[in-house]
Amino acid sequence: GLLVVACLLYPTGYFGPLSSRIRGLFVKHTKTGNPLVDSVAEHQPANPSMYASYLNLPLDYAILGGIVSLWNRNNGFYFLMLYGFIAEHFSG
């Protein structure tokens, strides 16, 4: 029954190609140079020097913004500090 239905639907193009998630299980990953893509694709932490390379000035501004925010602590400040800590913990 099921095999007959599959044989009838196959020529119509009903069954599409495998999704990129499924293909990713079988195809070896190649390095892209983007630390976020590489760390997610390989399930390995990113290299800290890559953060400095890709996030040069924004990383400095985030640190300076955190220091300036110390004088105006509110719920937003605590949320950003917690969010930043969690993001740093799971990315490195």
Side-chain angles (χ1 to χ4, degrees):
L2 186 59
L3 184 61
V4 172
V5 172
C7 288
L8 291 174
L9 290 177
Y10 183 75
T12 66
Y14 183 78
F15 302 106
L18 295 175
S19 72
S20 59
R21 290 181 182 171
I22 301 297
R23 278 184 273 142
L25 295 172
F26 303 107
V27 178
K28 183 168 174 57
H29 175 70
T30 57
K31 294 278 185 186
T32 64
N34 183 330
L36 181 61
V37 171
D38 289 341
S39 67
V40 170
E42 295 178 345
H43 300 286
Q44 296 177 357
N47 185 353
S49 66
M50 295 304 284
Y51 284 110
S53 174
Y54 279 88
L55 299 172
N56 187 13
L57 286 176
L59 191 59
D60 294 339
Y61 293 151
I63 293 168
L64 290 174
I67 293 170
V68 170
S69 297
L70 287 173
W71 282 275
N72 186 17
R73 294 186 211 168
N74 55 21
N75 287 341
F77 168 78
Y78 293 120
F79 171 76
L80 285 177
M81 290 296 113
L82 181 63
Y83 182 85
F85 174 75
I86 292 171
E88 189 274 331
H89 174 74
F90 285 107
S91 71

